[in-house]
Amino acid sequence: ATISGGSYNQNYNTYHSTISGGRGNNTNSNYATISGGYVNSVGGGPFGTISGGYLNVNSGSYGTISGGYRNINSGNYSTISGGYQNQILAGNSSISGGYHNLNNGINSSIVGGFYNCITCSGYGFIGNGSGNQIQGCGYNTNGNQDSFIGNGDSNCSWIKSSSIVNGHLNLIGQTCSAAYTAFYPNTYTVLSANQFAGSITLQGDV
């Protein structure tokens, strides 16, 4: 284990882990790397990396947080490039920026925006906007894979191989639950609706 500089950094009883600098950073997994920043933590699976930022936590094997503030990455081979209070829970996924985005989809990406959410789906993509959701477990019969939301706000897809390019309160599927609030309670409750014929209501503040 190696600490090259900085102050108040700690490298626990790990093999081949490195802290290059910064303040208050700690590693608790093998082959972990923290390049700098403040109060960042790498633990859990091996080969985790935090390049900088503040109060970021990486526990996924081969996971990476490049920077930002209060980001959490527990997905294996997943990457958070920046932003703040973004979270990844699934493997081979990414969040490029923005804030309060949640990615729990395997091989899925959120580029930016805020309060966007991919839950339990595979190969989903949200480009930007706010309050957009891709829901549905990717490997179930009625699951959601290969779905796309480009931009806009409060759009939701629950059907696989679907696309919403832009707009407001658009829905593909029967219903979208408020699964997002399980991770960010008392902030934003997405949309719930009956399929096309029903009413669409927005609960909470955008």
Side-chain angles (χ1 to χ4, degrees):
T2 302
I3 297 177
S4 301
S7 60
Y8 299 101
N9 297 308
Q10 184 172 7
N11 199 326
Y12 289 90
N13 189 23
T14 59
Y15 295 102
H16 305 290
S17 293
T18 300
I19 298 175
S20 300
R23 181 183 175 92
N25 298 307
N26 73 85
T27 63
N28 194 21
S29 62
N30 296 328
Y31 301 97
T33 300
I34 298 178
S35 300
Y38 300 90
V39 202
N40 295 307
S41 177
V42 176
F47 295 99
T49 299
I50 295 179
S51 300
Y54 176 50
L55 284 172
N56 297 304
V57 177
N58 184 30
S59 61
S61 299
Y62 297 90
T64 300
I65 298 176
S66 300
Y69 168 66
R70 284 190 183 273
N71 296 305
I72 299 174
N73 182 12
S74 57
N76 297 334
Y77 299 95
S78 293
T79 299
I80 297 176
S81 300
Y84 67 93
Q85 292 188 317
N86 296 307
Q87 184 172 11
I88 294 179
L89 299 173
N92 296 295
S93 294
S94 66
I95 296 176
S96 300
Y99 62 94
H100 286 294
N101 295 306
L102 170 67
N103 191 345
N104 191 23
I106 298 171
N107 298 299
S108 296
S109 298
I110 297 174
V111 177
F114 56 98
Y115 294 116
N116 295 309
C117 180
I118 299 176
T119 62
C120 198
S121 64
Y123 300 94
F125 179 91
I126 296 176
N128 210 325
S130 63
N132 296 307
Q133 259 202 88
I134 295 174
Q135 288 191 11
C137 293
Y139 300 104
N140 288 349
T141 303
N142 295 318
N144 189 353
Q145 297 185 66
D146 303 307
S147 289
F148 172 92
I149 297 177
N151 206 333
D153 70 279
S154 306
N155 299 302
C156 185
S157 166
W158 203 84
I159 300 296
K160 63 183 178 181
S161 302
S162 61
S163 296
I164 298 174
V165 177
N166 208 329
H168 170 68
L169 281 171
N170 296 303
L171 172 65
I172 296 178
Q174 291 186 343
T175 185
C176 273
S177 68
Y180 192 91
T181 55
F183 299 95
Y184 297 105
N186 304 319
T187 52
Y188 183 75
T189 304
V190 206
L191 61 94
S192 61
N194 296 320
Q195 185 176 10
F196 301 111
S199 62
I200 296 178
T201 58
L202 184 67
Q203 305 170 9
D205 297 322
V206 176

